[in-house]
């Protein structure tokens, strides 16, 4: 089986070396960069199966690298960072990251997150369908969302959340279910990141088109209603 290629962009040299050795031991082919602009250049020049990306980098921040990569690739991206605030996580995910791992972390957790990200990428490729609910249409092959023919501009995580809600329309989904499916891991602690993204979607869809798609069942969760 062909070895998966991983680009690791991390300015902490010792940490980068540790992660590199562990990933190589697990059978991954690893390219390491310690500076932001060099990392972006590598991402543009070669094809990778995953990018592990530090948030705080010299030259160019992880957020900016992520934004630029998303203009030409949907490669899975996991952010590695010392910041653990909800809004920092949201900023990372809004820029297009698939997941967010706070330092210090156990290598076993990183490997588990990587396996989940690869699984999600394969699942996305296999689910090239059109989803609909009351004039809202999601073309998963083009990754395009429209309401009555008008294109809605969503971030990667907003799009993935909406897809999950519409795939399960008329079914109430708990925050924990949404986190596990959309963020791809068993989340321990605060779940308000889901509430933040629900607000984003409501602003871009419900409020923008004056139509109520996303409903709340207090104390239970959220669902998209299709008449």
């Amino acid at each position: 089986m062909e070895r998966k290629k991983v680009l690791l962009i991390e300015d902490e040299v010792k940490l980068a070396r540790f992660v590199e050795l562990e990933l190589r031991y697990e059978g991954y082919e690893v390219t390491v960069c310690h500076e932001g602009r060099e990392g972006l250049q590598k991402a543009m020049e070669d094809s990778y199966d995953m990018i592990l990306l530090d948030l705080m980098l010299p030259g160019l921040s992880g957020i900016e690298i992520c934004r630029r990569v998303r203009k030409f690739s949907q490669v899975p991206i996991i952010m590695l960072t010392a910041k653990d605030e909800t809004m920092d996580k949201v900023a990372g995910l809004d820029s297009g990251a698939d997941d967010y791992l706070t330092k210090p972390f156990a290598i076993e957790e990183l490997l588990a997150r990587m396996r989940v990200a690869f699984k999600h990428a394969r699942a996305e490729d296999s689910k090239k369908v059109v989803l609909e609910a009351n004039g809202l249409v999601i073309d998963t092959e083009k990754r395009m969302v429209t309401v009555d023919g008008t294109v809605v501009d969503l971030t990667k995580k907003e799009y993935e959340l909406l897809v999950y809600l519409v795939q399960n329309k008329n079914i109430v989904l708990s925050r924990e279910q949404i986190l596990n499916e959309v963020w791809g891991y068993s989340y321990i602690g605060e779940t308000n990141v889901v509430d933040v993204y629900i607000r984003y979607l409501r602003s871009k869809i419900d409020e923008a088109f004056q139509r109520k798609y996303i409903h709340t069942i207090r104390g239970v969760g959220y669902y998209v209603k299709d008449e």
Side-chain angles (χ1 to χ4, degrees):
M1 187 170 61
E2 188 177 349
R3 297 170 70 192
K4 290 190 180 295
K5 295 174 64 176
V6 177
L7 175 60
L8 172 61
I9 310 175
E10 167 62 65
D11 66 332
E12 293 182 43
V13 177
K14 288 184 178 179
L15 175 60
R17 182 57 176 163
F18 168 71
V19 173
E20 177 189 7
L21 291 174
E22 292 289 337
L23 292 183
R24 288 188 185 280
Y25 179 77
E26 293 292 327
Y28 294 103
E29 183 180 326
V30 186
T31 300
V32 180
C33 296
H34 301 298
E35 195 269 343
R37 293 190 183 279
E38 179 193 6
L40 177 61
Q41 194 65 32
K42 290 282 187 186
M44 295 171 68
E45 290 174 349
D46 205 348
S47 177
Y48 294 94
D49 297 297
M50 177 168 292
I51 298 176
L52 303 178
L53 178 61
D54 188 20
L55 183 63
M56 307 296 287
L57 287 164
L60 200 64
S61 74
I63 295 287
E64 186 58 29
I65 291 172
C66 200
R67 286 197 185 109
R68 296 192 190 188
V69 168
R70 281 293 172 250
K71 291 180 179 179
F72 63 87
S73 173
Q74 290 300 316
V75 58
I77 297 175
I78 298 178
M79 282 199 159
L80 311 175
T81 176
K83 292 191 172 185
D84 194 28
E85 296 296 322
T86 296
M87 293 315 296
D88 290 319
K89 294 179 181 179
V90 169
L93 296 168
D94 269 356
S95 67
D98 295 87
D99 203 351
Y100 192 112
L101 192 55
T102 305
K103 303 174 188 175
F105 54 82
I107 193 66
E108 291 81 8
E109 183 175 8
L110 174 60
L111 292 169
R113 300 284 183 93
M114 290 174 66
R115 288 192 294 270
V116 168
F118 283 133
K119 181 181 177 183
H120 273 229
R122 288 195 303 270
E124 242 179 63
D125 286 340
S126 67
K127 290 190 277 189
K128 303 298 187 184
V129 296
V130 174
L131 305 170
E132 297 183 56
N134 291 339
L136 184 151
V137 178
I138 305 173
D139 185 327
T140 61
E141 186 166 9
K142 297 178 181 177
R143 294 183 67 85
M144 180 184 292
V145 176
T146 59
V147 176
D148 294 338
T150 301
V151 176
V152 182
D153 185 25
L154 300 178
T155 67
K156 189 171 188 294
K157 271 290 175 261
E158 290 167 355
Y159 171 82
E160 290 173 355
L161 172 57
L162 183 62
V163 167
Y164 183 52
L165 290 170
V166 176
Q167 282 175 333
N168 295 277
K169 59 189 179 183
N170 299 321
I171 298 172
V172 181
L173 302 167
S174 70
R175 291 174 178 81
E176 289 75 16
Q177 284 177 296
I178 293 170
L179 281 167
N180 290 341
E181 181 64 28
V182 178
W183 275 262
Y185 55 93
S186 184
Y187 191 90
I188 299 173
E190 61 185 351
T191 58
N192 62 333
V193 69
V194 172
D195 302 324
V196 171
Y197 274 84
I198 290 290
R199 286 200 298 272
Y200 289 167
L201 282 180
R202 281 177 168 157
S203 173
K204 291 184 176 182
I205 298 175
D206 293 36
E207 294 169 18
F209 294 92
Q210 298 183 336
R211 194 177 303 172
K212 192 168 180 61
Y213 283 103
I214 303 171
H215 296 257
T216 304
I217 301 296
R218 192 174 299 277
V220 181
Y222 300 101
Y223 72 101
V224 163
K225 188 175 183 180
D226 188 20
E227 299 295 347

